[in-house]
Amino acid sequence: MLNFELYNPTNYVFGKGQIEKISTLVPKNAKILLAYGGGSIFKNGIHEQVIKNLQGFDIIEFGGIEPNPRFETLMTAVEIIRKEKITFILAVGGGSVIDGVKFISGATHFEGNPIDILKNRVLFTDLTKVIPFGTVLTLPATGSEMNSGAVVTIEETHEKLVLGGSALFPKFSICDPTVIASLPKRQLENGVVDAFTHVMEQYLTYPHDAILQDRIAESILQTLVEIGPNVVENPTDYKLASNFMWCATMALNGLIQKGVPSDWATHMIGHELTALYEIDHARTLAVIAPSLYKVMFETKKDKLAQYGERIFNVSGNSTEEKAEKAIEKTIEFLHKMGMQTKLSEYTEDYKKSADFIVNRFETRGWKALGEKQNITLQKVKEIVEGSY
């Protein structure tokens, strides 16, 4: 196993009716910025529940945080926090709202141009330099409710970039699985596939000595394969909803990444497709992942074979045969989850994407990706073209 440190201070508050605890979790006498997205929390009653359980607190509301939150929108919230002397932020939403709040938290007291937080991948480690925040999760998918990372889009340049640091963990996250009952089918499909791919990025590398880490990752994958299609059709089933929500959190709360190699190239390429074409994040992952497994087959075939045997019970006369079947089974699962797996199924303008992404990566100095740093710019080009 590789050396590692595991730090996760988030108070994870899980289960039915847990929003009722929110007044005991927010610091006393806090002046709160209540941040949310497009207004679905008004339709499903979550806004009403939050306000009811925060009676007596001074609250200023900030709505309109987009899917793939925009730097420009978030800076408006930063100005409100500075002007109103906000002392605590409450993110009520899915990964986009929570990611946006992480940026707001770090940008408020940032010395310099806040766009550099994204351009230079600033890490926030000083708790005195950020605004503390908590979350009420409304859409399981990204794991942002229990990690310290975030992704923000700069609309002006069509870039989707990351930030993070140990100071950007939520103080608490209230995770009530019943909130998924009112979610559109498309969002549920996206959530399952996003969580699934998060695990794959930390698992599908090469065989190593971290046996328990593999088994934990495989248990999340197996659970998502088992419940994924059913939770989309039956989101009011608490057994399905609760296991889905916990899977999405466990997929990216830091645990399964410790002591093992990881490969985030699928996400890095997928982010560019979202920024370029406005394709849902999870759907870009479903487009890129199978192509990446094929292009990097020689590097990943041993782990692909293990994955195929343990997750889909594939068999074969060789490692290569089992690995190929594993890719086929993965594509079948993605299709079952409502995903298209070709870029041409989302846009007619797909042919420019490979060169565009390669140029972006070259400009940023991203010339060696993957667990072995062997995903070169030429491989990136092959992966994107293979997804057409």
Side-chain angles (χ1 to χ4, degrees), residues 171-184:
K171 295 298 183 184
F172 64 82
S173 285
I174 296 175
C175 301
D176 181 345
T178 64
V179 301
I180 78 164
S182 61
L183 291 175

Side-chain angles (χ1 to χ4, degrees), residues 15-17 46 49 175-182 235-236 238 241-242 245:
K16 295 179 182 178
I46 293 173
Q49 291 180 58
C175 301
D176 181 345
T178 64
V179 301
I180 78 164
S182 61
T236 58
Y238 190 75
S242 56
M245 183 170 276

Side-chain angles (χ1 to χ4, degrees), residues 65-200:
I65 297 177
E66 310 90 346
N68 307 302
R70 304 299 198 265
F71 166 80
E72 294 82 356
T73 301
L74 302 176
M75 284 307 299
T76 302
V78 168
E79 292 305 317
I80 292 172
I81 289 178
R82 290 170 176 168
K83 179 181 177 182
E84 299 293 339
K85 295 182 171 52
I86 298 292
T87 60
F88 192 85
I89 313 171
L90 183 64
V92 182
S96 292
V97 172
I98 299 170
D99 280 11
V101 163
K102 289 175 183 177
F103 176 86
I104 296 165
S105 169
T108 298
H109 298 310
F110 183 72
E111 296 176 2
N113 187 343
I115 205 165
D116 290 338
I117 295 171
L118 303 173
K119 296 283 190 179
N120 300 330
R121 291 195 177 195
V122 171
L123 291 178
F124 292 89
T125 57
D126 187 345
L127 289 169
T128 67
K129 298 292 180 66
V130 303
I131 305 294
F133 64 95
T135 87
V136 177
L137 182 65
T138 63
L139 171 59
T142 69
S144 193
E145 66 278 3
M146 202 180 183
N147 66 41
S148 61
V151 185
V152 169
T153 297
I154 304 172
E155 189 167 24
E156 184 181 3
T157 56
H158 298 289
E159 292 179 275
K160 192 172 178 181
L161 301 170
V162 302
L163 69 144
S166 58
L168 293 182
F169 281 98
K171 295 298 183 184
F172 64 82
S173 285
I174 296 175
C175 301
D176 181 345
T178 64
V179 301
I180 78 164
S182 61
L183 291 175
K185 183 178 290 189
R186 185 183 182 93
Q187 288 188 332
L188 292 168
E189 292 170 343
N190 287 349
V192 171
V193 171
D194 198 9
F196 188 90
T197 312
H198 286 156
V199 180
M200 293 289 275

